Amino acid sequence: MKVSVAVPAYNEERNIGQLLDSLRAQRTQVAEIVEIVVVASGCTDRTAEIVRERQSHPGVPVILIEETERKGKVSAINTYLDERHPEVDAICLCSADLLVTRDVVEMLVGCLVENEDVGMCGGRPVPTNGHGTFSGEATRFLWHMHHRVALEAPKLGELIMVRAGLFERLPQQSAVDEASLEQLVCDAGFRLAYVPEAVVHNHGPETVREFL
């Protein structure tokens, strides 16, 4: 199954290089990652420069789309959809602040291959915040509750895989891209699936103010 990976990014110079490295290091058999497309929207830091540096590295082709104005994640996804490889079987939408464990893409593609009625699936975000602080413990508790809820009724986000062809664009007025995608997938007669073994790491707030 051919996969195109989309990474909408705004000022992610601290993480974008590591994310691209973790995506290129994916172990795959059934999945074939044919491109990684970064949409850098209105960035004022070194995000685009770091992506250009990674373009010269061997491995999966990295494509950079630069937008001078930041119009939000939904707009960035629609820009990606206009430019993506036209002959892929699945689209992976990945937040730019993640690190992806090495079998995530293969696990999510495997879910689609083994379940013809699944149109969209997602992995489990696990925060890297340490223990012993209010913000760290609160972040871990929040994502653990997210996991428990998703086991009963999939609510997907951070990194998802969706069958190509189920949608052409997201509604521009949408404030929550994953929720809009879930509705489009269900309207097309498919179901959602949560794959908790497909772990991605993110880093939550470090202070109470940031958490609130």
Side-chain angles (χ1 to χ4, degrees), residues 89-155:
D89 305 297
I91 294 169
C92 177
L93 296 179
C94 178
S95 296
D97 60 349
L98 301 178
L99 290 178
V100 183
T101 53
R102 295 195 66 186
D103 298 303
V104 165
V105 170
E106 182 74 5
M107 287 180 179
L108 296 183
V109 164
C111 178
L112 297 183
V113 169
E114 295 168 11
N115 302 277
E116 295 183 356
D117 61 334
V118 170
M120 174 177 165
C121 56
R124 177 184 180 183
V126 176
T128 58
N129 296 65
H131 294 277
T133 66
F134 172 83
S135 56
E137 298 295 348
T139 297
R140 288 178 173 276
F141 177 77
L142 183 67
W143 282 107
H144 180 69
M145 292 302 297
H146 186 288
H147 164 66
R148 293 292 298 271
V149 169
L151 288 172
E152 300 294 330
K155 174 66 180 76

Side-chain angles (χ1 to χ4, degrees), residues 8 72-78 93-95 120 155-160 167 169-171 173-185:
K73 190 174 180 181
V74 169
S75 178
I77 291 173
N78 284 334
L93 296 179
C94 178
S95 296
M120 174 177 165
K155 174 66 180 76
L156 311 177
E158 299 299 307
L159 187 146
I160 60 97
F167 66 101
R169 296 181 70 80
L170 291 178
Q173 68 274 17
S174 173
V176 186
D177 52 295
E178 290 89 355
S180 297
L181 267 175
E182 289 176 4
Q183 188 62 53
L184 291 171
V185 168

Side-chain angles (χ1 to χ4, degrees), residues 32-71:
E32 178 189 354
I33 303 175
V34 300
E35 64 180 2
I36 302 169
V37 182
V38 179
V39 182
S41 301
C43 294
T44 58
D45 65 357
R46 295 183 62 249
T47 296
E49 180 182 341
I50 293 169
V51 174
R52 281 192 288 270
E53 291 172 356
R54 289 304 196 279
Q55 287 181 311
S56 64
H57 295 190
V60 177
V62 173
I63 299 167
L64 172 64
I65 300 174
E66 287 189 82
E67 297 181 319
T68 57
E69 184 180 352
R70 185 188 184 193
K71 298 179 181 179

